Amino acid sequence: MQQKVLSTIEEIKIYSDPYRIQILNMFNKQGRPSTVKEIADKLGEVPAKVHYHVKKLEKIGLLTIVSTREINGIIAKYYEPFQGEIHLRHEDEDHSPLKQVFLSETLKLFNGMYEQSRQMFMKQAEHGENMFRQISDKTLYASREEVEKLFKDIIKMCEPYTKRNEQKEDQEVFQLFTTMSKHVDEPTESKKSKVPQDQPGDQSSKPNDDAKEK
């Protein structure tokens, strides 16, 4: 599977924009190369607005022109979304002030992806769909290497379903949002550092000699 590494602040900012994530999702939903006009119509937007964001995504390689066609004297460009793995990697030193900016943009990206997936899921649930067969929340016990392999296996299993098969009339569109997070133990009360009763500069716990009875 192809891999794309986004390692600069500019690349992350382009990718983390919620509207651009929505555009990428719509290209993926089409299941075939599509024009800006087609995507704009699906989103209910004017083509010029979508075109601006498409060019940004094309700049970082997340959209690629795969063919062109002349329609009524206008050259229509057909774009295809990147289907491989996208990795976010910051090349600067740990103490670089840009690292915090990179982290902020990365968290913005994750939040946008989670929110769009949540909205799609809740919209389907509100329409009375039986969602319980499509929910899984499991605790896994594995090494980091095993978890990385598992995640790659899941992505690989999805590959045959990422392209629309025009010959299958019963095909519907589904959205799979997959994430795995490492469990982090919260510190227990016994492990938390206790604040000493008498701290330097704290006069409230010590008797004041001037206040003693004579």
Side-chain angles (χ1 to χ4, degrees), residues 5-8 88-94 96 99 102:
V5 178
L6 305 181
S7 59
T8 69
L88 310 181
R89 188 175 304 151
H90 188 41
E91 304 290 346
D92 287 347
E93 299 293 333
D94 288 343
S96 169
K99 191 170 184 65
F102 185 89

Side-chain angles (χ1 to χ4, degrees), residues 124-142:
Q124 185 177 352
E126 289 168 1
H127 280 74
E129 294 280 352
N130 184 357
M131 306 301 299
F132 296 103
R133 292 175 299 174
Q134 302 171 23
I135 299 176
S136 178
D137 184 11
K138 296 183 180 296
T139 299
L140 307 178
Y141 299 90

